[in-house]
Amino acid sequence: MMIILLIVQFSSALASGSSANERVIQTPQNLHSQPREEAKIYCSHKIDDYNTILWYRQSDRGLQLLGYVYLKDGYPEAGLDGVKMKGNAEKNQNCTLTVEKANSSAVYFCAASYHSCDSGREAYFGTGTKLTVLEPNRTAIPPTVRVLKPSPNEGGQTRTLVCVATDFYPDHVSVSWTVNGNKRLSGVATDAAATRLDDFYRITSRLTVYVKEWQNRGKDFACVVDFFNGTETVNRIDSIRGVKGRLLFERKYLRIAQNAKLAYCAFIVKSCVYGAFVVFLLWKLQKSRKTEK
């Protein structure tokens, strides 16, 4: 009965999307494994009274509860082979999930909870560990990164720079942008996941900036791609500088020309009105003289 209540509580907490990353510490964030090789994931928490760590595996087939550690005892799900859970689930202690013979890639999550029949407390989840089981005879290859200029046909008040990262394996990457060395968050749109093409992966990201910012040679726009190579996270960077503001100059020139054109038209209209008025006066004068005779 207690196990059923625990699973219901865990499922409810997961559905609520509860998260307190600063209170639940899960490491590593990325992990490579050779086929049938052992992989270990670690989890701890900083929550008073919480005494349970549960483990989940998320794959193409959905989210699966692997089991949990209550105090110092591990309880894998019935009929589940190939994983071990041990450690201490209390505050500031450590729990370990061991995948004994990894055979498929997945994302693993731990969560801290309070094990009690009448507990209504929610679970707090870690950030997840992405485990990739490498294909036979393959090693990690970092990406090639290139930043593309905005399209010359792009109109409006903004310009879009495109970052393309290609030819990497596996897909442990994250993409960010900097402008003059400062991280840029606004105007950034990155693919939700890398796309596989043949034996390698590809991912794109876009940075949208205002024309005024792009047309400034003092601006340096850099795309930073972080890649986990199995041992450490390395980065690959490409950058591009802003261009001379010819378009702004042209627009300013066009505005001046347009204003001059309007002024000239106004001058012509005024001249026509003045000419008509002079003709009218001459006609009146001539008519007046005829009347006198």
Side-chain angles (χ1 to χ4, degrees):
M1 182 66 177
M2 290 181 63
I3 293 178
I4 294 175
L5 289 172
L6 183 64
I7 293 174
V8 170
Q9 174 192 341
F10 289 164
S11 300
S12 175
L14 181 64
S16 70
S18 303
S19 178
N21 297 339
E22 72 280 2
R23 303 172 71 184
V24 178
I25 301 94
Q26 181 176 345
T27 58
Q29 181 179 359
N30 293 284
L31 188 60
H32 290 180
S33 171
Q34 295 294 330
R36 312 293 293 174
E37 188 177 61
E38 182 179 89
K40 292 182 179 291
I41 303 171
Y42 306 93
C43 186
S44 63
H45 70 86
K46 301 178 181 180
I47 309 172
D48 292 335
D49 299 330
Y50 273 41
N51 54 19
T52 303
I53 291 290
L54 53 23
W55 292 98
Y56 288 100
R57 176 169 57 205
Q58 184 177 28
S59 63
D60 295 339
R61 290 176 287 183
L63 191 66
Q64 178 186 13
L65 176 64
L66 302 178
Y68 61 94
V69 176
Y70 170 59
L71 294 176
K72 297 181 181 180
D73 297 317
Y75 298 91
E77 283 288 273
L80 186 65
D81 297 324
V83 296
K84 289 184 178 179
M85 303 163 195
K86 66 178 183 178
N88 189 329
E90 295 177 293
K91 180 181 178 180
N92 294 328
Q93 302 300 314
N94 290 289
C95 285
T96 303
L97 173 70
T98 302
V99 182
E100 295 182 303
K101 294 181 180 180
N103 55 21
S104 62
S105 301
V107 180
Y108 291 83
F109 292 95
C110 73
S113 185
Y114 182 73
H115 187 358
S116 172
C117 290
D118 58 353
S119 173
R121 304 188 195 183
E122 57 188 351
Y124 293 95
F125 286 78
T127 54
T129 296
K130 183 175 181 177
L131 170 64
T132 293
V133 179
L134 299 176
E135 296 168 4
N137 304 316
R138 295 203 67 180
T139 57
I141 299 175
T144 298
V145 179
R146 185 183 176 192
V147 176
L148 307 177
K149 293 181 180 181
S151 168
N153 299 321
E154 187 174 7
Q157 298 299 314
T158 60
R159 296 292 179 267
T160 302
L161 288 73
V162 179
C163 175
V164 183
T166 58
D167 300 329
F168 58 92
Y169 175 85
D171 59 338
H172 287 243
V173 293
S174 62
V175 184
S176 60
W177 288 87
T178 63
V179 179
N180 285 355
N182 299 313
K183 191 168 185 178
R184 178 66 60 90
L185 299 177
S186 62
V188 175
T190 303
D191 295 345
T195 302
R196 181 149 185 173
L197 298 173
D198 297 324
D199 293 332
F200 298 96
Y201 286 91
R202 168 192 176 98
I203 193 169
T204 62
S205 180
R206 294 152 293 283
L207 173 65
T208 301
V209 299
Y210 286 107
V211 172
K212 184 177 180 180
E213 187 173 23
W214 166 242
Q215 293 183 339
N216 182 344
R217 293 189 64 83
K219 294 287 187 178
D220 182 77
F221 304 91
C223 176
V224 182
V225 180
D226 292 322
F227 175 78
F228 179 68
N229 63 12
T231 304
E232 61 181 346
T233 298
V234 297
N235 58 55
R236 295 291 184 269
I237 303 173
D238 189 34
S239 63
I240 190 172
R241 298 197 71 84
V243 298
K244 187 176 180 180
R246 278 176 46 188
L247 184 56
L248 291 180
F249 173 78
E250 291 171 0
R251 287 183 176 176
K252 184 177 180 180
Y253 174 79
L254 288 174
R255 284 197 299 269
I256 294 174
Q258 184 69 19
N259 292 335
K261 182 178 179 180
L262 291 174
Y264 178 74
C265 290
F267 173 75
I268 295 297
V269 171
K270 289 180 179 179
S271 297
C272 292
V273 172
Y274 179 74
F277 180 71
V278 171
V279 170
F280 175 76
L281 288 178
L282 292 173
W283 176 77
K284 289 287 289 184
L285 182 59
Q286 185 179 12
K287 184 177 181 182
S288 176
R289 288 178 178 177
K290 289 180 178 181
T291 303
E292 291 177 355
K293 290 180 179 181

